[in-house]
Amino acid sequence: MCGIVAYIGRKEAYPILIKGLQRLEYRGYDSAGVAMINSGGNLNVFKRKGKVSDLVEFAKGKDLSGTVGIGHTRWATHGEPNDVNSHPHYSQSKNLVMIHNGIIENYASIKEGLKKRGNTFLSQTDTEVLIHLIEHIQQHEGTKLGQAVQAALNQVIGAYAIVVLDKNDPDTIVAAKKGSPMVIGIGDDDFYIASDASPIVEYTKNVVYLDDEQVAVLRKGHELMIRNLKDKEITPYVQKLTIELESIEKGGYDHFMLKEIYEQPRSVRDSMRGRLKANEGEIRMGGIIDHEKKFEKAKRIIFVACGTSWHACLVGEYLFEEFARVPVEVEYASEFRYRNPVIYQDDIVIAISQSGETADTLAAVELAKSKGATVLGVCNVVGSSIARATHGGSYTHAGPEIGVASTKAFTAQVTVLTLMALHMAKVRGTISESRYRQLCYEMDAIPSKIEQVLQLNDQVRQIAFANKDSSNALYLGRGVSFPVALEGALKLKEISYIHAEGYPAAEMKHGPIALIDEEMPVYVIATKGANYEKVVSNIQEVKARKGKIIAVVTSGDKEVKAVADFTVEIPETDEFLVPLIAVIPLQLLSYHIAVMRGCNVDQPRNLAKSVTVE
Ligand code: G6P
């Protein structure tokens, strides 16, 4: 979390930094700050609690000039979100400034040592400690900034992506990373640095993804220099960005979340592109082709993920067990990594992550690898840490997701998992040819069915209006729709701050039923399938206690419609594919409720899109 951006070249840095910070605000928005060195050699730092827009207001009329600068948008870890704890942070002499994304775990002992040497600290942050240490080394060992950064980082434990500016060397920027992402854009006569490519793409498509424990020195008029912490010189590997500017702009929608909900017919299609040939009854997945033997022999699949991606894993559990007849465990990455889990060499561990940067999921991947399991990734961000750390896997190809609440990434993840499960079933011989072909056809039809559901937006908005004032909500589903209930509840609480719980419909009797009264909206996925009659009974149980039922039903449904207060009819599909379309009205519902309640949909309080701290 936290977004970092930096520029060095001939252009004015401030507008580039601000635009970049606005693009990175999804990573945190507790405070924002910039530092520029002007042509007179003055280092100007402006930082403010709140959003980038607050910083812009604050900085109006001040000296914002300079062709070298750094910027930061913060998700607070050490120290409350206030002006003092905002980045950039100064060194003791105030000659150096630094921005940082990540956590320096041993900052307390370093701080103690520096205090004994007379350093004084203004903030409670770990970042300030690191920049003091860098300066201490620079002064006492008489080294250049790049070497001082290298030496300091050899002393720290933790995760970081940092950029350092030195007032006395305005033609140089030093950047380094470990465990937090960092991209360097290479322009004609300038350099850009950012946490992801979105602040860079409109200036250059040539980028270098810095690897862990690498230190980059960017000097005006010179080539990019990279060394690792062992002082070995690294030849930069320049890649071409494939994202387009339009994909990271709102494109006429009020919010990124709404745009991303509406993108789903396209993004699901893109997740299947080149992989599913429905007419030929064929699924090909390049990223797992080398692991087919493992698929055939696997005794178990373990999914690891966090948040919405964890819900996609739960859908995966139903699919892999049903089609490929392989036992599946779904783990919160944060629990898995610290539990000393039993992992066998013939286990397949699948890590799912939109960002590919979630710290707990990345650590779970490393743990599983160290135990000899085959580890596959299902990531959205190409080239992300998890994608690189895994033995293979499949990208979801949903395109950049900017709204903090995940929508299109979820359906893309479920799409990829469905294809993987079917492919594995084929390899293991656990599915009949006719069932396999039927599911291939059904998958092919999903994008147009999502389009049909999106046409129900006005109806969903009316349902949202009728339920926007409730302070609690219950979401129920059975079978493969149970994870959809969890995801529906998560979407609502994330962006509208309504307390919501997802439950397996039958489990309601073991607790949540006590909460039901005429004030309590109960959202139920009650589509046709093996569990339909059972869900209808659960709905009756709610109605008997005067609860309000809002049901997602299959087109043409009569039974649920007769008792529910509101229904949304979605097109019929195979019952195992229902999550891909049943989640759409729940996403829209949360969106409208949040907008009606005046919430910041794209940047809900306290959350961040990419959680790079554990
Ligand atoms: C954060 C985001 C969620 C996301 C979760 C896991 O909590 O706000 O939207 O589901 O992290 O992120 P990942 O990038 O690993 O899917």
Side-chain angles (χ1 to χ4, degrees), residues 1 26 304-311 352-359 361-362 378-381 386 401 403-407 409 413 487 490-491 494 604 607-612:
M1 21 241 310
Y26 72 87
V304 290
C306 305
T308 288
S309 300
W310 186 79
H311 294 157
I352 304 199
S353 175
Q354 187 286 128
S355 62
E357 301 294 344
T358 302
T361 311
L362 184 57
V378 175
C379 298
N380 194 36
V381 178
I386 294 170
E401 189 181 67
V404 165
S406 184
T407 52
Q413 288 164 344
E487 177 59 9
L490 178 63
K491 285 293 83 93
E494 277 182 311
L607 296 177
K609 183 132 194 88
S610 181
V611 182
T612 53

Side-chain angles (χ1 to χ4, degrees), residues 36-157:
M36 285 83 51
I37 302 176
N38 70 14
S39 54
N42 296 318
L43 174 61
N44 293 314
V45 175
F46 304 104
K47 49 188 194 171
R48 211 71 190 147
K49 177 183 171 177
K51 299 196 177 251
V52 177
S53 54
D54 298 311
L55 170 69
V56 171
E57 266 313 301
F58 170 68
K60 266 187 189 151
K62 310 222 159 67
D63 178 7
L64 303 171
S65 66
T67 54
V68 52
I70 57 179
H72 187 267
T73 178
R74 176 170 188 241
W75 190 86
T77 55
H78 290 72
E80 64 170 290
N82 58 23
D83 294 349
V84 175
N85 287 332
S86 308
H87 298 217
H89 285 282
Y90 284 111
S91 62
Q92 178 74 28
S93 71
K94 292 199 158 50
N95 283 338
L96 305 186
V97 275
M98 186 174 94
I99 48 174
H100 169 215
N101 165 29
I103 291 182
I104 305 302
E105 289 171 14
N106 58 339
Y107 82 103
S109 59
I110 298 172
K111 192 173 185 175
E112 274 319 299
L114 289 166
K115 270 184 173 172
K116 282 187 192 135
R117 294 186 162 105
N119 286 48
T120 50
F121 295 90
L122 305 172
S123 77
Q124 285 106 49
T125 64
D126 50 344
T127 307
E128 193 185 9
V129 175
L130 180 54
I131 190 62
H132 276 234
L133 177 66
I134 291 169
E135 182 173 71
H136 175 79
I137 294 170
Q138 193 191 29
Q139 288 175 347
H140 287 78
E141 291 174 22
T143 55
K144 286 188 167 173
L145 183 61
Q147 289 161 321
V149 167
Q150 233 175 1
L153 293 177
N154 273 314
Q155 296 183 33
V156 307
I157 301 169

